[in-house]
Amino acid sequence: MSSTARLTWLRIRLAFVGISVTLGVVACGSVAVQPMPTATSDGPLVEQLTGEVSDARAMKHLQALQKIADEHGGNRAAGTPGFDASVEYVVGVLRDAGFKASTPTFDASGDDDEDPSVPQRNVIAQTRTGDADHVVMIGAHLDSVEDGPGIVDNGSGVASLLEIATQLGADPSVQNTVRFAFFGDEENGAVGSNGYLEGLSANDRKKIKLYLNVDMVASPNGGYFVQGGKPGSWWRRLRWGSDPETVGPAGSATIGRVLADQLSKTGVTTPEMIEFVGDDESPFIEARIPVGGAESGDEEEKTTQQAKAWGGQAGKPYDPCYHEACDRVDNVNRDLLNHYLRALAGALAHFATSTAELR
Ligand SMILES: [Zn+2]
């Protein structure tokens, strides 16, 4: 390349570097200070439901699940009497709230043809009102690991759904049908949620307009994490990529935004958007159903910045009892549970009223 050409080329390159640095700075600038966009105003159902749900009643469900684990060898793991008793408990609460609860089975025998077929149960209940071709779904896994009673993981999710279902009732005035799911065998790899979607016809899968996953919402040293899409700028898109497994199908960002907005409205400082990690939302992502998720953190350590924003201890796990025998009722962070309960009620009511934003 000639010297003048090289000189010209050098100028072009410098100019280009100049542009990208500027863009980078602008982008970095925008990433750091970009506030969470606020969602549309809340309708009457959001106000009503967020006002009615109570963490005190949710705690009663956690105490009941603890008692079940204590009476069944210390756990509520898939395929155990502790899990079956948990199913009966959830069905009982839903029926008392006026729902027709069903317990569709799924095969939990895994891939090896040698394994005998092991039918296990999910629990499903939905409102009698709302458009049944337009279903808004929320779910939490009901099983624990074998090493402990699973009160934060995931009794806290189950208790939140039971309290929301009880306050909503089976005949609310809603535009869209609301469906509650309590999945089995999540701890062995989202087996129950996979079995649930596989058990539906393609047409029935299409009727599910969104799925909100709730897995651990009361970690003792927890945080406010929301899953769903990608907030903000091209810079983040560049950084995170757009793999549906981690960001969710189109529409997931709207679910994440609405849930984060509802958390902020309960007084939480800037919920953090995180990627999906392969919980019960995975089969819904595979089915191209928009998804969102709420979780308060497990064995990873809280950062200094997070401790400043949300309280708690930096450098310590969000839940030191994660998957341990000590994951009992006294491991529950009531304050976190209270914020998440109201935010989940708000987000569910928001989409039970309208899913227009998802389109
Ligand atoms: Zn879990």
Side-chain angles (χ1 to χ4, degrees):
M1 187 190 285
S2 74
S3 58
T4 35
R6 194 172 288 121
L7 198 57
T8 326
W9 168 235
L10 198 58
R11 280 209 192 94
I12 292 169
R13 280 186 61 197
L14 280 174
F16 182 77
V17 170
I19 293 168
S20 53
V21 169
T22 324
L23 277 176
V25 170
V26 171
C28 290
S30 69
V31 170
V33 295
Q34 192 179 67
M36 288 298 298
T38 56
T40 49
S41 63
D42 291 337
L45 184 64
V46 172
E47 304 300 332
Q48 179 208 329
L49 202 54
T50 52
E52 281 171 358
V53 291
S54 120
D55 59 308
R57 280 191 296 265
M59 285 304 291
K60 291 239 178 337
H61 296 309
L62 290 172
Q63 278 139 15
L65 294 173
Q66 175 73 70
K67 189 165 174 292
I68 286 171
D70 291 345
E71 290 166 356
H72 297 89
N75 73 62
R76 300 175 306 99
T80 70
F83 179 77
D84 290 337
S86 304
V87 166
E88 300 315 325
Y89 177 77
V90 167
V91 166
V93 171
L94 291 168
R95 287 186 177 151
D96 291 349
F99 287 90
K100 208 162 122 299
S102 65
T103 57
T105 59
F106 62 91
D107 179 7
S109 61
D111 304 334
D112 185 348
D113 298 339
E114 300 306 306
D115 286 358
S117 168
V118 186
Q120 290 194 34
R121 295 179 291 171
N122 292 319
V123 181
I124 304 290
Q126 69 181 45
T127 57
R128 274 185 285 275
T129 47
D131 175 356
D133 291 339
H134 224 80
V135 175
V136 168
M137 196 166 171
I138 187 168
H141 74 87
L142 182 54
D143 60 314
S144 74
V145 290
E146 285 174 9
D147 298 335
I151 297 305
V152 170
D153 185 14
N154 186 29
S156 60
V158 168
S160 299
L161 266 62
L162 288 176
E163 171 57 6
I164 293 169
T166 303
Q167 298 316 313
L168 181 69
D171 309 289
S173 131
V174 286
Q175 175 67 32
N176 304 315
T177 289
V178 178
R179 184 179 296 164
F180 297 90
F182 304 82
F183 292 122
D185 211 7
E186 184 273 346
E187 297 292 0
N188 293 313
V191 182
S193 50
N194 259 298
Y196 169 72
L197 278 181
E198 275 163 18
L200 293 182
S201 67
N203 190 36
D204 283 343
R205 276 197 290 273
K206 242 191 250 127
K207 293 175 184 171
I208 302 172
K209 299 310 173 190
L210 71 92
Y211 173 69
L212 193 48
N213 193 52
V214 186
D215 197 342
M216 302 179 67
V217 285
S219 304
N221 187 37
Y224 296 98
F225 301 105
V226 170
Q227 298 157 310
K230 307 266 319 68
S233 70
W234 65 271
W235 173 257
R236 282 194 177 206
R237 232 182 300 281
L238 207 63
R239 203 177 118 212
W240 286 26
S242 57
D243 167 8
E245 287 300 314
T246 52
V247 298
S252 301
T254 301
I255 304 168
R257 176 173 56 74
V258 168
L259 182 55
D261 185 61
Q262 289 295 327
L263 264 173
S264 302
K265 286 182 177 167
T266 72
V268 168
T269 320
T270 323
E272 210 170 289
M273 304 303 291
I274 60 169
E275 301 173 354
F276 290 107
V277 289
D279 291 331
D280 283 322
E281 78 284 339
S282 313
F284 291 85
I285 291 177
E286 272 164 46
R288 317 287 323 133
I289 295 168
V291 292
E295 61 158 80
S296 55
D298 45 36
E299 66 223 337
E300 270 121 51
E301 290 178 358
K302 183 176 265 186
T303 67
T304 310
Q305 204 188 354
Q306 289 166 346
K308 255 201 222 114
W310 305 322
Q313 294 178 291
K316 292 273 188 285
Y318 301 115
D319 185 357
C321 287
Y322 176 61
H323 285 183
E324 304 283 345
C326 59
D327 183 8
R328 301 176 60 81
V329 166
D330 53 11
N331 188 42
V332 168
N333 180 329
R334 273 285 288 271
D335 187 43
L336 223 79
L337 178 66
N338 183 24
H339 284 285
Y340 266 114
L341 184 54
R342 289 182 288 144
L344 290 164
L348 192 66
H350 179 100
F351 289 117
T353 306
S354 167
T355 56
E357 296 155 285
L358 290 180
R359 278 179 235 130

